[in-house]
Amino acid sequence: MKTQNIIPALLLSSIGLMSLYSCNGTSVDTIKAMESNYDNQNKTIELTGEFDAPSFTFSSGKSKTMSMNFVVKPHAISSEKFTAFSVMLPVGTEKNSVLFELPADQKNYTLKNFHVIDKNGEKINLDTHTTFKMTGTVHYSELEKPEGERDKNNFNYKITDVTFEKD
């Protein structure tokens, strides 16, 4: 009788572990591809992960866009992270935008100072580490140069036309 209960339990456990390990492999594969070839030029990609604050210095408060980072993991319990850099979001309070709020007396920023407004208009603080499904179009800066002047190992990109929602 115990054997009959153990086999279904083991089967169910292994299916659960397999789904946990494969839950975000396509996002990781997409980032790896973006950093190793130009196959995604002008293509819309989809990633599942969370926004992270960019590393930047302030030049003025008049910028209309902000280059955000988007972090994905191979699976939920992984400590390994892959980052899509230069996810371009408009600054403001419209849908699919980012809002940066730093009090005048505060010198350093944290995730608490960043909010994103998703495609449904919901304002979400990045400090909550919310998972999003994000889509956007990839553009490689190197491909804007004449072919003879390109560095075939430079895969710097920007992701534009971004939409996102809580996953």
Side-chain angles (χ1 to χ4, degrees), residues 90-98 116-119 121-122 164:
V91 175
T93 56
E94 300 297 315
K95 294 177 181 178
N96 298 306
S97 65
V98 61
V116 291
I117 295 88
D118 73 1
K119 75 178 194 176
E122 184 177 350
F164 58 93

Side-chain angles (χ1 to χ4, degrees), residues 4 22 34 40 44 60 66 74 92 98 110 116 122 135 141 155:
Q4 290 175 342
S22 64
M34 288 175 8
N40 287 301
T44 299
S60 77
M66 187 177 294
V98 61
T110 67
V116 291
E122 184 177 350
T135 61
S141 57
F155 299 107

Side-chain angles (χ1 to χ4, degrees), residues 142 144-152:
E142 201 64 26
E144 295 172 6
K145 297 177 182 177
E147 196 166 338
E149 297 176 19
R150 294 179 188 166
D151 176 356
K152 62 184 177 184

Side-chain angles (χ1 to χ4, degrees), residues 129-146:
H129 297 281
T130 303
T131 301
F132 295 94
K133 185 168 290 208
M134 187 265 303
T135 61
T137 305
V138 178
H139 304 280
Y140 293 94
S141 57
E142 201 64 26
L143 295 180
E144 295 172 6
K145 297 177 182 177

Side-chain angles (χ1 to χ4, degrees), residues 23-24 26-27 45-51 70-72 96 118-120 124 130-136 162-167:
C23 66
N24 206 15
T26 56
S27 291
I45 56 149
E46 182 176 288
L47 301 173
T48 301
E50 61 184 63
F51 284 101
F70 195 79
V71 178
V72 303
N96 298 306
D118 73 1
K119 75 178 194 176
N120 300 313
I124 303 156
T130 303
T131 301
F132 295 94
K133 185 168 290 208
M134 187 265 303
T135 61
V162 176
T163 62
F164 58 93
E165 66 181 320
K166 285 198 307 190
D167 188 35

Side-chain angles (χ1 to χ4, degrees), residues 3-90:
T3 307
Q4 290 175 342
N5 291 337
I6 291 174
I7 292 173
L10 287 172
L11 183 61
L12 190 59
S13 297
S14 64
I15 290 171
L17 282 173
M18 284 181 0
S19 67
L20 184 64
Y21 280 104
S22 64
C23 66
N24 206 15
T26 56
S27 291
V28 170
D29 292 343
T30 300
I31 289 178
K32 286 180 178 180
M34 288 175 8
E35 294 176 345
S36 63
N37 62 60
Y38 297 120
D39 292 347
N40 287 301
Q41 172 68 4
N42 294 326
K43 290 185 181 174
T44 299
I45 56 149
E46 182 176 288
L47 301 173
T48 301
E50 61 184 63
F51 284 101
D52 194 9
S55 301
F56 66 94
T57 56
F58 296 100
S59 56
S60 77
K62 297 179 183 178
S63 179
K64 294 184 191 292
T65 60
M66 187 177 294
S67 177
M68 299 293 290
N69 296 333
F70 195 79
V71 178
V72 303
K73 296 179 179 182
H75 51 83
I77 59 173
S78 176
S79 61
E80 188 176 26
K81 297 178 182 181
F82 296 84
T83 302
F85 300 97
S86 298
V87 177
M88 305 306 293
L89 295 180

